[in-house]
Amino acid sequence: MMTTSAKSALHLADIAAARERIRKSIYLSPCAHSQHLSVLTGQQIYLKLDNLQMTGSFKERGSLNKILQLSAEQKSRGVIAASAGNHAQGVAYHATQHGIRSIIVMPLTTPLVKVTATKNFGAEVILHGGNYDAAYEEALRICRAEHMTFIHPFDDPQVIAGQGTVALEMLEQVPQLEAVVVPIGGGGLIAGIGCAIKESNPKIRVVGVQTSRLPSMMAAVAEHHPVTIDAATTIADGIAVRRAGDVTFPMVEKYVDEIVTVDEDEIASAILVLLEREKTLAEGAGAAGLAALLQKKTSLQGAHTGVLVGGGNIDVTLLSRIIERGLVQDGRLIRLRIHLLDKPAELTRLIAEYRANIVDTLHNRAYYGVNLGDTVIDITLETRGREQVEELLAALTAEGYKHSRVL
């Protein structure tokens, strides 16, 4: 896909300058090799853990680079942004650190935890509109009225240069790097990384990953210009962007080799793998890159591959649902509906014999066409996995129990 005809909004020198500018205020996040993920994916996987930044996301790199280049007059008037998540916190934190007033306009639907976090970083939060587009328009209106500086989440060369600094770190941390896999929303991150990578070593492949529900950059590449796609909900809310950036799109055309998509279950599975096997908390957008590799979506084979885990700000209720759903998909949490005579003792003995753990039970004597004197019992069980489940089901059948898995 990479073309040489597109003009870049910035170059390697801009990203190198951004790195020197923000170096003292940005955590040099590790880029750790994972033996387990390397086996699972058939690559040599290195996780760039930018979810460990102060605000839990790479977004503060671009925000800080923009803030540090403001004139004295611009600083005195303050900055403003529209965001429901990581960009809001990055702007708020670094503006406050430099004594600059910040306003963040967030949709009315923004979770309270994100509103509170943004306020705690020092921003004035305005809740407006039912979606990001409405919040964005309100932020522009306030920006014009109060002559503030608007900090765009991705479509700004100074923001893009800041995001690209993560690639310079990866090149130093993994000298044998052959590919990078990067989530794509509006394109600011992959534009910066692509520029830094390709202008340092054109042989390194740059692969982008979008959620299949909102593949706005893929649509732009297909049409050769940014297009607005229909709104959709996704657990990867950090890359839920309906239109690629006007600045970022030509850079993606120039520097990115391949774009693939992942679906909701694939992202959820990657979140669970990172949490359980790597002890790393990632939000949906932060896990999208790994999801593509786990599902063999890319053309990469056996490469030394850097994967950006760009954010770890996930709602705990969503995380709990992801964990539960992942356990169900792995066969480690099942629910059985069993028809039996009203004598559950033998059933519990059998379950104990096969070392499954009973989490919950529900008896029904009036539903499901149950005969008088009989009962239907729904049992939620924890198991070691599918093999143990199949052994238990076979034993239940041998004992004459009628059963069906309903989860």
Side-chain angles (χ1 to χ4, degrees):
M1 185 179 67
M2 193 176 73
T3 173
T4 57
S5 61
K7 293 182 179 179
S8 176
L10 71 159
H11 296 282
L12 179 60
D14 301 302
I15 298 171
R19 187 184 185 192
E20 292 306 311
R21 199 174 289 120
I22 70 175
R23 186 190 293 270
K24 294 181 180 179
S25 301
I26 294 295
Y27 173 57
L28 177 57
S29 58
C31 193
H33 180 261
S34 169
Q35 183 62 38
H36 177 71
L37 295 180
S38 297
V39 172
L40 288 179
T41 62
Q43 318 281 327
Q44 290 301 313
I45 298 298
Y46 303 83
L47 297 176
K48 180 60 172 170
L49 301 176
D50 239 38
N51 57 333
L52 299 179
Q53 294 296 340
M54 176 63 192
T55 63
S57 164
F58 74 91
K59 284 283 190 177
E60 59 183 82
R61 294 174 180 265
S63 301
L64 178 58
N65 190 48
K66 178 76 173 181
I67 287 168
L68 290 177
Q69 295 181 79
L70 297 176
S71 68
E73 182 180 357
Q74 287 174 318
K75 291 178 181 178
S76 68
R77 292 178 176 177
V79 297
I80 187 167
S83 172
N86 294 335
H87 181 61
Q89 295 177 57
V91 172
Y93 174 66
H94 285 291
T96 300
Q97 290 295 107
H98 289 84
I100 299 170
R101 177 194 179 200
S102 65
I103 297 177
I104 309 295
V105 184
M106 310 180 90
L108 291 165
T109 54
T110 304
L112 180 60
V113 63
K114 293 185 178 182
V115 175
T116 302
T118 305
K119 287 181 178 178
N120 287 343
F121 282 128
E124 303 169 33
V125 174
I126 296 174
L127 299 176
H128 179 89
N131 53 43
Y132 172 78
D133 292 340
Y136 176 78
E137 291 300 323
E138 177 65 7
L140 289 180
R141 186 194 66 78
I142 296 172
C143 181
R144 290 189 292 266
E146 301 198 21
H147 304 288
M148 304 179 79
T149 297
F150 186 81
I151 302 182
H152 198 282
F154 55 84
D155 216 26
D156 181 312
Q158 293 172 327
V159 171
I160 296 168
Q163 318 302 32
T165 61
V166 71
L168 299 183
E169 295 174 5
M170 294 175 74
L171 288 167
E172 293 175 356
Q173 292 168 318
V174 188
Q176 67 272 39
L177 193 67
E178 296 174 300
V180 293
V181 180
V182 185
I184 303 178
L189 177 63
I190 199 167
I193 287 179
C195 177
I197 291 290
K198 291 297 187 180
E199 294 194 10
S200 297
N201 183 349
K203 294 182 180 180
I204 298 176
R205 290 183 60 79
V206 178
V207 178
V209 182
Q210 292 203 282
T211 166
S212 58
R213 292 191 174 182
L214 280 162
S216 55
M217 190 61 76
M218 286 189 74
V221 170
E223 297 293 331
H224 303 292
H225 62 83
V227 294
T228 302
I229 63 175
D230 293 337
T233 58
T234 170
I235 61 172
D237 57 333
I239 52 174
V241 178
R242 296 175 59 199
R243 183 183 177 89
D246 294 320
V247 178
T248 61
F249 168 69
M251 296 184 68
V252 169
E253 274 206 319
K254 181 176 182 179
Y255 295 122
V256 177
D257 297 289
E258 180 181 12
I259 300 176
V260 300
T261 63
V262 288
D263 64 30
E264 300 298 287
D265 285 341
E266 291 165 345
I267 295 170
S269 178
I271 291 173
L272 191 57
V273 168
L274 283 168
L275 184 63
E276 188 170 28
R277 300 309 299 260
E278 300 298 323
K279 316 307 176 193
T280 294
L281 181 61
E283 61 189 86
L290 179 61
L293 292 173
L294 289 171
Q295 301 301 323
K296 308 296 194 295
K297 293 292 186 74
T298 77
S299 62
L300 301 174
Q301 294 183 352
H304 290 270
T305 303
V307 184
L308 187 71
V309 182
N313 295 320
I314 187 170
D315 183 79
V316 291
T317 57
L318 173 60
L319 180 61
S320 69
R321 293 197 298 271
I322 288 172
I323 292 171
E324 184 174 26
R325 188 167 182 173
L327 292 174
V328 170
Q329 291 174 336
D330 289 345
R332 290 185 288 165
L333 184 68
I334 65 166
R335 182 177 296 158
L336 301 179
R337 176 167 295 159
I338 302 174
H339 290 252
L340 73 162
L341 294 174
D342 202 359
K343 297 178 181 179
E346 287 300 309
L347 175 62
T348 55
R349 178 195 60 77
L350 189 62
I351 291 172
E353 183 178 326
Y354 280 84
R355 300 189 181 281
N357 182 45
I358 297 175
V359 177
D360 187 39
T361 62
L362 176 64
H363 290 75
N364 293 292
R365 296 181 176 86
Y367 302 99
Y368 314 124
V370 180
N371 294 325
L372 291 174
D374 293 354
T375 188
V376 168
I377 182 170
D378 289 349
I379 307 180
T380 303
L381 302 171
E382 290 177 337
T383 74
R384 293 189 303 274
R386 297 191 183 281
E387 183 177 348
Q388 184 186 13
V389 172
E390 295 305 321
E391 291 174 355
L392 176 59
L393 293 178
L396 289 169
T397 300
E399 292 288 334
Y401 291 104
K402 298 178 181 179
H403 59 270
S404 61
R405 194 185 315 183
V406 295
L407 253 184

